[in-house]
Amino acid sequence: MSAWTGIEIREERDKLEREVAALLGFMLFEYARLDMALGMALAWADGGRDLKSRSEQFAGANLYSKLAAFAKAAQAKFKRNPQIKEAFLGLIDDAHRAREFRNILVHGRWGFEATEQTAVCVTGLPTSVGQREIRYTISDLQGMLESVRSVRQRLHKLIADKWL
């Protein structure tokens, strides 16, 4: 393999950055959809009897708080049906993992290694011992996008089939 020229590295870096940016953007869309679906499920948790109050309660809640409230509601609603309860709780665990990655991707600083075809996400201050570097390939990020999309789709199905 021949050495990369400076122009080739710059062009490849720009291409990699565009691909990563598109994937991260699609992930943000999916997170927003997931967040909204959780909020709506919580607002309608009592069949819509207290829709206004519950809507106000969850309108400004963050994803972590919504997931915690949803877990509590699912445990109560399905306490006599452990199989359905476990399906909801498993989904909530997966949503928490997606939320944790969202926090990393939103709060991290991104760089690109064109010759290695990796995006590098760095969290923490450069002067802190807690600084962390994570490398992702396009394939890794596509998998993460599919994962959060799957969580959202599973949530929609469970809500439609069991929640409402």
Side-chain angles (χ1 to χ4, degrees):
M1 181 174 142
S2 64
W4 292 58
T5 67
I7 292 171
E8 289 171 329
I9 291 172
R10 187 178 67 240
E11 288 172 350
E12 194 60 33
R13 184 202 170 284
D14 291 347
K15 179 182 168 207
L16 181 61
E17 183 174 8
R18 282 190 303 276
E19 289 181 59
V20 169
L23 287 166
L24 295 179
F26 285 127
M27 279 186 233
L28 290 176
F29 293 163
E30 289 299 327
Y31 292 126
R33 291 173 184 140
L34 175 64
D35 185 55
M36 192 271 312
L38 276 168
M40 292 301 294
L42 289 164
W44 284 91
D46 63 355
R49 287 184 294 278
D50 197 16
L51 185 60
K52 184 175 188 221
S53 166
R54 293 181 67 79
S55 292
E56 289 173 11
Q57 177 184 359
F58 293 107
N62 62 29
L63 188 56
Y64 180 88
S65 299
K66 287 176 186 170
L67 287 169
F70 196 63
K72 185 176 177 182
Q75 293 219 19
K77 187 172 186 132
F78 302 112
K79 64 183 168 194
R80 291 188 184 8
N81 194 329
Q83 187 176 7
I84 295 173
K85 181 176 76 172
E86 289 306 312
F88 274 92
L89 296 179
L91 173 81
I92 291 164
D93 286 344
D94 292 344
H96 271 297
R97 277 190 288 285
R99 178 190 58 78
E100 290 166 358
F101 177 67
R102 184 221 41 207
N103 290 345
I104 290 168
L105 77 87
V106 168
H107 297 292
R109 300 178 308 281
W110 289 86
F112 305 94
E113 295 287 346
T115 59
E116 296 174 23
Q117 288 293 292
T118 58
V120 183
C121 181
V122 180
T123 58
L125 290 175
T127 54
S128 86
V129 294
Q131 179 174 284
R132 203 171 107 198
E133 178 182 294
I134 307 167
R135 294 175 177 267
Y136 300 101
T137 64
I138 292 295
S139 179
D140 294 336
L141 295 172
Q142 286 170 330
M144 291 171 177
L145 171 59
E146 289 308 314
S147 177
V148 72
R149 188 172 283 153
S150 171
V151 167
R152 182 186 52 81
Q153 290 169 340
R154 286 172 37 219
L155 174 67
H156 280 284
K157 182 161 178 39
L158 277 173
I159 288 171
D161 294 349
K162 308 294 183 195
W163 190 260
L164 301 176

